């Protein structure tokens, strides 16, 4: 993904030497301006900003002696910079990182004729064969036509895709296997062995040479069976016991597919949630009887000193970083509606201006206003609502909502979504603790699903450790070997949907002597980049 971003950026920077040099402020500039707006690239994403600047600096160095050369300047500006340009009628930057809806706004302003059709820029007005071939090659390389379609508006390609991310779900297989062991320990042990073989044979580079899952136990099995009223006679051929038996007979990709199908089934997801919630609520009412009894056995400690610090292994018990357990978590509920619609209908793009789109809403536009209309047909949404209503029923029965107005308290033991108060928390924070079965979020932040947790400045005697100084403890509730990606829980018999998201690259037309001088160079430099190939791999 990083290579894709860098390569595309390089080509577009090269291409912009064919444009004149006017910035957002209308004041003529001596450089080509590539704008990185805050809406698309946050102020904290300095590594992305640095990558753009590195490419621009290298390009300027390589071409400084070219005839009519214009240097490139990468500029980051806070959110609202482009919007201010729209409202004031200022010129747009030569190139800018933009989401499609942002770029389309220009078409309803007096700057409409300044927006650049990126396809025309690449092919060239004279329909050069190299340009056409480059465009076709680029189009063929995309994993879905929707990548281009989402950047089209009024038959123009306003935005080209790059740096795409996905709303993708992640399953904690290690936690799931430990849950199944409550019902059938022997089958769960077989599943674990077969899953680790799959890791070793198919994902050794991503996991570890042996494919081993993290050495973590999550549940007190005997107590959990008592709470859930599990007996061999009543559960052998139904529910999770049957799932375990069926999965134990699968290996390799069939096992992975079998796990994904369970997490695609709304009824099965709600069964897992219901069981998990019963265990979590029992812990709250019986503080000394931990049905959810997390023991992370491969944690490490290190003395807080630079003078030959001692270090070693330690067992971390319990959910130390955030003392809450959520069975399932989704960052964006809006995205889930979209993915469940796509999974049900097979449509990759929703035309919200079409009242017959069978999505739950459509939009009627009139000049600068828009009217939202709830449609009669809600394809896919019935599955979304079944999922959310089922989670709500479980949480409501806990009656935590009577004692707290805080979302995280009301839904503790059941479900989490991204919250902004008192500070922004993504669901990957909960997932990384190791006590969430499945979470959905952006692949751009996928590293957060397996990030380490820390317990700092601890007294060693409280941990049974022989050390002279206080210690810092590092542990991980989830590692790469523990997880697989999955589509949305969209219901039995539906397709598999991942939602594409992320910005693209847009541009603006320029006039004048500079544009004419560099027209051929602009066209040729576009072709340089679009002959590069790229791949995206979700797993």
């Amino acid at each position: 993904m990083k290579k894709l971003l860098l390569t595309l950026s390089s080509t577009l920077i090269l291409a912009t030497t064919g444009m004149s040099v006017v910035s957002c402020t209308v004041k003529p500039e001596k450089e080509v301006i590539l704008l990185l707006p805050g809406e698309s690239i946050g102020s904290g994403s300095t590594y992305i900003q640095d990558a753009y600047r590195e490419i621009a600096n290298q390009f300027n160095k390589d071409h400084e002696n070219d005839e009519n050369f214009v240097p490139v300047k990468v500029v980051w500006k806070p959110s609202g910079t482009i919007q201010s340009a729209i409202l004031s009628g200022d010129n747009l930057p030569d190139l800018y990182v933009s989401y499609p809806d942002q770029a389309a706004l220009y078409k309803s302003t007096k700057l409409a004729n300044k927006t650049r059709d990126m396809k025309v820029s690449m092919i060239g007005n004279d329909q050069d064969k190299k340009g056409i071939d480059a465009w076709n090659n680029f189009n063929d390389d995309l994993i879905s036509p929707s990548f281009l379609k989402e950047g089209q508006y009024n038959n123009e390609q306003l935005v080209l895709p790059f740096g795409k991310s996905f709303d993708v779900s992640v399953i904690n297989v290690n936690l799931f296997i430990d849950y199944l062991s409550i019902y059938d320990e022997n089958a769960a042990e077989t599943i674990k062995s077969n899953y680790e073989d799959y890791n070793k044979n198919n994902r050794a580079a991503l996991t570890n040479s042996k494919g081993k899952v993290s050495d973590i136990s999550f549940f007190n099995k005997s107590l959990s069976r008592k709470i859930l009223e599990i007996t061999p006679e009543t559960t052998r051929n139904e529910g999770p016991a049957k799932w375990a038996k069926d999965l134990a007979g699968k290996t390799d990709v069939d096992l992975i597919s079998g796990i994904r199908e369970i997490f695609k089934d709304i009824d099965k997801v709600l069964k897992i949630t219901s069981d998990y919630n019963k265990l979590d609520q029992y812990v709250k009412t019986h503080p000394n009887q931990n049905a959810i009894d997390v023991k992370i056995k491969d944690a490490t400690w290190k003395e807080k000193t630079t003078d030959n610090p001692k270090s070693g292994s330690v067992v971390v018990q319990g959910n130390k970083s955030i003392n809450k357990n959520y069975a399932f978590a989704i960052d964006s509920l809006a995205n889930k509606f979209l993915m469940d619609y796509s999974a049900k209908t097979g449509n990759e793009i929703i035309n919200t201006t079409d009242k017959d789109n069978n999505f739950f809403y459509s939009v009627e536009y009139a000049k600068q206003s828009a009217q939202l209309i709830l449609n009669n047909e809600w394809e896919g949404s019935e599955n979304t609502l079944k999922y959310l209503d089922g989670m709500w029923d479980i949480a409501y029965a806990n009656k935590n909502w009577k004692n707290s107005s805080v979302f995280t308290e009301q839904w503790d033991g059941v479900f989490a979504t991204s919250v902004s108060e008192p500070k922004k928390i993504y669901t990957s924070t909960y997932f990384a603790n190791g006590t969430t079965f499945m979470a959905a979020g952006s692949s751009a932040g996928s590293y957060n699903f397996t990030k380490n947790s820390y317990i700092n400045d601890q007294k060693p005697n409280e941990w049974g450790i022989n050390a002279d100084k206080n210690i810092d403890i590092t542990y991980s509730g989830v590692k790469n070997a523990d997880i697989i990606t999955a589509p949305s829980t969209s219901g039995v018999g539906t397709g598999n949907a991942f939602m594409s998201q992320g910005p693209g690259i847009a541009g603006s037309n320029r006039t004048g002597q500079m544009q004419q001088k560099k027209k051929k160079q602009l066209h040729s430099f576009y072709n340089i980049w679009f002959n590069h190939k790229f791949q995206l791999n979700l797993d």
Side-chain angles (χ1 to χ4, degrees):
M1 184 67 71
K2 185 176 180 181
K3 179 180 179 182
L4 168 61
L5 185 151
L6 294 179
T7 308
L8 176 55
S9 303
S10 177
T11 302
L12 292 174
I13 287 173
L14 293 172
T16 53
T17 58
M19 303 175 185
S20 68
V21 286
V22 181
S23 74
C24 287
T25 61
V26 185
K27 179 182 178 180
E29 299 281 353
K30 295 182 179 180
E31 304 96 353
V32 169
I33 301 299
L34 170 58
L35 180 65
L36 312 180
E39 295 92 339
S40 304
I41 298 177
S43 59
S45 301
T46 55
Y47 67 99
I48 297 178
Q49 298 175 37
D50 290 343
Y52 278 108
R53 292 188 178 97
E54 181 180 345
I55 295 168
N57 291 339
Q58 186 62 52
F59 167 72
N60 292 338
K61 180 179 179 181
D62 292 344
H63 297 273
E64 61 184 354
N65 295 322
D66 291 359
E67 184 179 0
N68 295 322
F69 173 69
V70 180
V72 177
K73 183 178 181 180
V74 177
V75 179
W76 182 90
K77 293 289 185 181
S79 299
T81 299
I82 294 182
Q83 184 67 18
S84 296
I86 296 175
L87 296 175
S88 64
D90 288 348
N91 286 314
L92 309 184
D94 301 291
L95 284 176
Y96 54 97
V97 178
S98 174
Y99 289 93
D101 56 343
Q102 294 170 336
L105 284 174
Y106 290 111
K107 283 299 181 183
S108 61
T109 72
K110 55 188 176 183
L111 300 177
N113 64 334
K114 297 295 185 181
T115 58
R116 176 175 289 276
D117 188 324
M118 303 299 282
K119 180 179 179 180
V120 173
S121 293
M122 179 178 171
I123 294 177
N125 292 327
D126 53 359
Q127 296 289 300
D128 179 78
K129 184 179 183 304
K130 289 184 178 179
I132 295 174
D133 290 343
W135 175 262
N136 291 337
N137 290 337
F138 170 65
N139 198 13
D140 291 342
D141 284 343
L142 296 173
I143 63 175
S144 170
S146 63
F147 274 50
L148 283 176
K149 289 180 181 178
E150 68 181 15
Q152 295 170 0
Y153 181 77
N154 285 349
N155 298 317
E156 291 185 45
Q157 189 72 51
L158 295 185
V159 179
L160 290 175
F162 84 97
K164 304 300 291 182
S165 63
F166 296 85
D167 190 308
V168 62
S169 296
V170 181
I171 299 170
N172 186 341
V173 179
N174 197 24
L175 173 63
F176 178 56
I177 292 173
D178 206 50
Y179 163 73
L180 292 179
S181 70
I182 299 173
Y183 285 86
D184 190 330
E185 286 193 86
N186 291 331
E189 195 60 36
T190 300
I191 297 169
K192 179 180 178 181
S193 177
N194 291 341
Y195 175 71
E196 290 180 337
D197 285 343
Y198 168 80
N199 279 343
K200 179 181 178 181
N201 296 330
N202 298 278
R203 306 196 303 169
L206 180 65
T207 58
N208 52 61
S209 59
K210 296 181 179 180
K212 296 292 185 181
V213 297
S214 299
D215 191 3
I216 304 175
S217 61
F218 299 95
F219 302 100
N220 180 321
K221 309 302 188 301
S222 60
L223 180 57
S224 295
R225 292 187 189 106
K226 178 182 177 181
I227 297 168
L228 299 177
E229 299 179 346
I230 296 171
T231 64
E233 293 75 20
T234 60
T235 61
R236 182 174 296 142
N237 294 312
E238 61 184 30
K242 187 176 187 305
W243 310 346
K245 182 179 179 181
D246 291 344
L247 289 175
K250 299 179 183 293
T251 60
D252 205 62
V253 294
D254 290 337
L255 172 59
I256 304 305
S257 297
I259 295 172
R260 284 174 173 152
E261 285 302 312
I262 288 174
F263 282 84
K264 193 174 179 180
D265 187 321
I266 299 171
D267 291 326
K268 291 177 179 177
V269 162
L270 293 177
K271 169 59 177 173
I272 296 170
T273 306
S274 178
D275 280 357
Y276 193 68
N277 178 65
K278 289 176 182 177
L279 301 180
D280 184 71
Q281 296 305 311
Y282 188 88
V283 171
K284 290 178 172 58
T285 56
H286 300 76
N288 297 321
Q289 300 184 54
N290 293 330
I292 300 177
D293 188 21
V294 181
K295 290 186 176 68
I296 303 173
K297 303 171 186 178
D298 54 1
T300 60
W301 62 270
K302 186 176 182 179
E303 280 186 324
K304 293 179 68 66
T305 178
T306 58
D307 185 19
N308 296 320
K310 295 180 181 178
S311 61
S313 300
V314 64
V315 175
V316 173
Q317 186 167 358
N319 190 350
K320 295 290 186 181
S321 57
I322 296 180
N323 193 28
K324 291 180 175 62
N325 301 304
Y326 302 100
F328 288 82
I330 297 175
D331 267 346
S332 172
L333 298 182
N335 284 2
K336 180 165 176 57
F337 275 95
L338 296 169
M339 288 186 286
D340 289 354
Y341 166 85
S342 182
K344 178 73 177 293
T345 65
N347 296 330
E348 293 189 358
I349 295 287
I350 300 174
N351 182 1
T352 56
T353 63
D354 180 8
K355 64 181 180 179
D356 297 321
N357 60 18
N358 292 331
F359 192 48
F360 76 87
Y361 77 87
S362 57
V363 182
E364 286 187 357
Y365 293 95
K367 295 184 178 179
Q368 299 296 315
S369 64
Q371 181 180 4
L372 185 71
I373 301 172
L374 293 180
N375 296 333
N376 293 327
E377 297 294 332
W378 287 35
E379 284 201 62
S381 299
E382 71 276 13
N383 292 330
T384 314
L385 295 175
K386 178 181 178 181
Y387 177 99
L388 296 175
D389 284 346
M391 294 291 178
W392 186 89
D393 288 339
I394 296 170
Y396 185 83
N398 292 337
K399 299 183 179 180
N400 290 339
W401 51 271
K402 289 186 175 181
N403 303 317
S404 176
S405 61
V406 180
F407 174 90
T408 52
E409 298 288 345
Q410 294 175 341
W411 288 82
D412 189 13
V414 183
F415 178 78
T417 189
S418 178
V419 295
S420 300
E421 300 295 340
K423 65 177 182 178
K424 186 71 172 180
I425 299 177
Y426 292 100
T427 58
S428 57
T429 300
Y430 307 118
F431 187 86
N433 291 326
T435 54
T436 295
F437 286 92
M438 183 178 184
S442 173
S443 61
S446 59
Y447 55 88
N448 287 313
F449 288 114
T450 56
K451 64 184 178 183
N452 286 334
S453 296
Y454 304 93
I455 309 172
N456 294 324
D457 205 21
Q458 298 290 295
K459 295 180 179 180
N461 62 301
E462 294 180 355
W463 291 82
I465 291 173
N466 182 20
D468 302 320
K469 306 287 185 180
N470 279 4
I471 59 172
D472 291 336
I473 296 173
T474 302
Y475 71 96
S476 174
V478 185
K479 295 181 180 178
N480 286 339
D482 304 333
I483 64 176
I484 59 173
T485 55
S488 173
T489 303
S490 53
V492 175
T494 59
N496 298 325
F498 298 91
M499 182 174 171
S500 165
Q501 54 191 15
I505 199 81
S508 54
N509 287 314
R510 293 287 180 251
T511 58
Q513 184 178 15
M514 185 71 72
Q515 172 73 3
Q516 296 303 316
K517 286 183 177 180
K518 300 295 183 176
K519 185 175 181 180
K520 291 184 179 180
Q521 191 174 2
L522 165 67
H523 173 46
S524 64
F525 281 136
Y526 267 114
N527 294 340
I528 290 174
W529 179 79
F530 285 110
N531 279 308
H532 287 272
K533 309 288 185 181
F534 69 89
Q535 294 180 344
L536 297 174
N537 191 326
L538 286 175
D539 208 16

